[in-house]
Amino acid sequence: MITLRLRVAVAALWIARRRASRHLAPHTRARVPFAPVAGSNAKNMATTIASRAVAATTPRARARARTNPRASSTSRRTRAIADANAEATAEDARELAAWLSYDKGVDASGLVFKEGARGEVEVALRGDVDAGARVLAVPQDCAVTSVDVDAHPIVSGLAKGRPELVGLALWLCAERIKGGASDWAPYVKTLAANPDAPLFWTEAEDFALLKGSPIVNDAVERSRSAREEYAAIVEVIKGDSTAFPAEAYEFFTEERFVDALATVCAKATWLPTASCYALVPLLDVITIAGSPVPGVSPPSAKDGIARCAADYDVDSACVVLSAVVKAPANSRVVQLDPLQRNNGELFLNTGRVDQKHPGDYLYMRTEIQPSDRLFSAKKQVLEGMGFTAENQYFPVYEDRMPTQLYSYLRFARVQDPGEMMAVSFEEDKIVSVMNEYEILQLLMGDCRELMSEYDTNEEDELNLLKLSDTMRVREIEAAKLRMSEKKLIGCTMTAVRKRLAPIRGIPTKQGMEDPNQDLLDIFNAIESIPNKPKEMMEDFKKWARGDYEDIPKGGGGCG
């Protein structure tokens, strides 16, 4: 290992001399303020595997694999690696805080680092804080961004043209192999991935844990894409031995790259103001928690959790973590997800599920049928409003659904051109009773289809979690994810039933008809039987009086 590190150091020096424009070390070069280094699609990289071209699968994709309750030998080896590559401890966090304080002047005195129930680091407040108060401020020189990647003598060439997260993973690979010789050693020590994150999965039995979940195909695709990305980078190294001498990249293995990529996907923080990803010391040991529904205030700290938000502050040139709500001392600190991901995306990136996620959601897919005779007209109208005619997704939450979902479905089902103009995308306005009945039945059918994909129900998941002492971490978190998804589907079905309740009827060619009309006809016929003799006598009297002789006879006949 010492020989390998020496080779890396010598090769780095050799490459640095060839690249005169990149000769400054991370802590001696002139740093520039954070600037937007990613386009509008940068945010989407947090919800996808960091690769050159990750194929985004639809949230409705399903896995067909069967779950094997017994772990294979490969899974047992993975478990052994997981034990050896545990996440950062409270002691690691304290050492990092001391290094930042003495060497970088970072004040972390407002935080306390404790050991959690699973041995992981848990961050708490040392004193009371008000809403908006700064909890932590880390100077930009202490954060790792694409600026550091571009200046790195070993990986800058490999990272060129690749997404930020891949570049940060390459940077982490190179710094890890330096060990204690790295300028970032105290920080790199705390950068450990969750070994049960889906990016490490390769066995079918692991992916089968997500059977029925909308993210199962995403998990398979991301695991495959990570390894394809590694293979592509290796080809670049082999293709230019002058720029990338083999002895300088002996450290670069698939296992190390996948581990670094999983770490970056879980730890990198998206900074909205700077529009970039950053690895921020101390900030990335704080647990990521689900964000509330847009426009809704986060929960208070009565549950013992101090919810905070991180962003880049231009005036102080620091990454600042601020309290979102007022919280007392000893409250556990969590960082609200700036990308507002649901539990499925959080699980894909971190391997963890937030059971208290206040803004968890699922996507419902809708589209206009190509066979619709008004398809062209509807497509033009939808595209003009920013929607698509195919594979349009809407988030549904536990206690609400977007008005646009109902409006889109109403618009998709109208067949009268005149009714198209009656559909409003600004308010929840019914077009017709028949149209409303139809879209609600379609929504209910979609929910039943989603629920039928799971092999277990919510009660089964609860019973399974009672056996958590004998289960792997990935099995426990997967069960929590399935349970949270089923809860959302169940709440959506309840909301649809409430909307269906006032609609008493079924659609027919003549309009909405009472669903019990057949029974009503039978009872009406029975009730009219006592009056039949009277009606017959009245008809006989009319005939005897000749009342029917004045009625003209119908034409036709044989003669």
Side-chain angles (χ1 to χ4, degrees):
M1 179 62 71
I2 295 177
T3 303
L4 180 56
R5 291 175 181 170
L6 181 60
R7 288 182 180 179
V8 172
V10 172
L13 179 61
W14 181 80
I15 294 175
R17 289 176 178 174
R18 291 174 56 88
R19 301 174 182 173
S21 61
R22 296 178 178 176
H23 69 283
L24 297 179
H27 293 292
T28 59
R29 72 178 186 278
R31 293 298 297 266
V32 296
F34 285 6
V37 294
S40 59
N41 293 328
K43 289 186 179 181
N44 297 331
M45 286 306 301
T47 58
T48 59
I49 185 65
S51 63
R52 292 179 301 173
V54 177
T57 55
T58 61
R60 293 282 296 277
R62 305 287 186 268
R64 303 298 177 187
R66 300 289 294 177
T67 302
N68 184 357
R70 300 188 62 182
S72 65
S73 59
T74 303
S75 298
R76 286 193 291 270
R77 288 196 300 272
T78 303
R79 185 66 180 274
I81 294 174
D83 295 336
N85 188 25
E87 297 181 69
T89 64
E91 186 61 30
D92 294 334
R94 294 189 194 102
E95 292 178 0
L96 176 60
W99 174 69
L100 290 171
S101 176
Y102 293 130
D103 289 6
K104 309 298 178 182
V106 177
D107 183 12
S109 59
L111 300 175
V112 178
F113 304 97
K114 304 178 181 179
E115 186 173 328
R118 300 189 304 271
E120 78 286 2
V121 59
E122 190 173 283
V123 185
L125 292 175
R126 189 178 298 274
D128 298 346
V129 296
D130 293 325
R134 285 192 177 189
V135 176
L136 177 67
V138 180
Q140 66 174 27
D141 287 344
C142 299
V144 181
T145 65
S146 58
V147 175
D148 300 271
V149 177
D150 292 340
H152 200 284
I154 293 293
V155 301
S156 59
L158 298 177
K160 186 177 181 180
R162 300 182 188 278
E164 283 182 281
L165 296 183
V166 172
L168 291 173
L170 290 169
W171 176 91
L172 183 56
C173 281
E175 293 301 316
R176 276 176 171 173
I177 202 63
K178 294 179 183 179
S182 172
D183 292 334
W184 299 88
Y187 176 41
V188 171
K189 186 179 179 180
T190 65
L191 290 174
N194 174 12
D196 285 286
L199 204 59
F200 291 109
W201 297 3
T202 56
E203 297 295 320
E205 65 176 299
D206 289 328
F207 295 113
L209 296 173
L210 300 176
K211 184 179 185 302
S213 172
I215 68 166
V216 59
N217 274 20
D218 287 337
V220 175
E221 177 63 20
R222 294 183 188 200
S223 177
R224 181 185 63 81
S225 296
R227 287 148 183 85
E228 289 180 352
E229 186 70 22
Y230 167 77
I233 295 173
V234 169
E235 288 301 317
V236 173
I237 295 174
K238 293 180 178 179
D240 191 349
S241 59
T242 302
F244 308 106
E247 61 271 16
Y249 296 92
E250 291 181 2
F251 72 92
F252 189 65
T253 63
E254 180 179 296
E255 182 180 4
R256 286 172 177 156
F257 174 73
V258 172
D259 185 274
L261 187 57
T263 302
V264 168
C265 287
K267 302 292 187 179
T269 300
W270 173 257
L271 303 174
T273 299
S275 188
C276 71
Y277 287 103
L279 291 172
V280 186
L282 287 184
L283 190 63
D284 45 32
V285 300
I286 298 175
T287 303
I288 294 289
S291 296
V293 179
V296 178
S297 299
S300 67
K302 292 181 179 179
D303 57 357
I305 298 177
R307 293 169 176 84
C308 303
D311 200 357
Y312 178 69
D313 181 64
V314 178
D315 295 333
S316 62
C318 292
V319 177
V320 176
L321 182 70
S322 303
V324 177
V325 296
K326 184 179 180 180
N330 297 320
S331 297
R332 186 167 69 92
V333 178
V334 299
Q335 179 189 169
L336 295 180
D337 181 22
L339 292 163
Q340 297 182 333
R341 292 168 290 188
N342 61 5
N343 262 330
E345 290 294 342
L346 287 176
F347 179 77
L348 286 173
N349 285 279
T350 67
R352 303 289 185 189
V353 173
D354 182 6
Q355 289 187 291
K356 295 183 178 181
H357 197 316
D360 197 14
Y361 58 89
L362 286 177
Y363 282 109
M364 298 293 290
R365 185 178 70 89
T366 59
E367 63 181 1
I368 306 294
Q369 294 296 326
S371 58
D372 192 329
R373 61 188 182 90
L374 300 175
F375 178 81
S376 297
K378 291 180 179 179
K379 181 179 180 181
Q380 291 180 1
V381 173
L382 290 173
E383 290 179 349
M385 292 187 294
F387 299 104
T388 61
E390 298 177 355
N391 297 325
Q392 175 68 51
Y393 293 93
F394 293 95
V396 292
Y397 299 87
E398 179 181 354
D399 58 349
R400 68 197 66 204
M401 287 193 290
T403 301
Q404 288 82 2
L405 171 59
Y406 290 116
S407 299
Y408 189 103
L409 290 173
R410 291 167 185 146
F411 189 75
R413 303 307 299 177
V414 296
Q415 294 302 311
D416 185 355
E419 290 185 343
M420 289 177 57
M421 303 306 296
V423 178
S424 173
F425 282 82
E426 302 297 330
E427 57 181 337
D428 191 5
K429 181 180 178 182
I430 295 178
V431 176
S432 67
V433 177
M434 184 179 294
N435 176 272
E436 194 72 6
Y437 178 89
E438 187 176 7
I439 68 164
L440 293 176
Q441 289 291 356
L442 288 173
L443 269 177
M444 184 64 74
D446 288 342
C447 291
R448 290 194 181 103
E449 181 183 347
L450 288 171
M451 195 69 82
S452 66
E453 295 291 337
Y454 297 95
D455 287 338
T456 56
N457 55 35
E458 193 170 349
E459 183 179 355
D460 295 332
E461 306 294 0
L462 290 172
N463 293 331
L464 187 62
L465 290 174
K466 293 178 181 179
L467 306 175
S468 58
D469 292 341
T470 61
M471 296 167 59
R472 296 178 296 168
V473 174
R474 64 188 60 181
E475 293 173 337
I476 297 173
E477 296 300 319
K480 292 178 182 178
L481 176 64
R482 296 192 303 266
M483 189 164 62
S484 68
E485 292 172 343
K486 293 172 188 175
K487 181 180 179 181
L488 289 171
I489 297 172
C491 290
T492 303
M493 295 176 73
T494 300
V496 173
R497 289 192 187 98
K498 289 181 178 179
R499 281 180 168 262
L500 272 171
I503 303 177
R504 301 299 301 170
I506 55 176
T508 66
K509 292 182 178 180
Q510 290 75 31
M512 296 299 294
E513 185 178 280
D514 194 303
N516 300 318
Q517 188 61 45
D518 292 341
L519 293 175
L520 292 175
D521 291 340
I522 292 174
F523 282 110
N524 289 335
I526 294 174
E527 291 174 355
S528 65
I529 289 176
N531 296 325
K532 290 299 180 182
K534 182 178 179 181
E535 293 177 1
M536 184 184 68
M537 289 300 300
E538 292 294 332
D539 290 339
F540 179 76
K541 292 178 180 180
K542 291 180 181 180
W543 173 78
R545 291 195 301 264
D547 293 345
Y548 292 118
E549 293 182 359
D550 297 332
I551 301 176
K553 297 180 179 180
C558 299

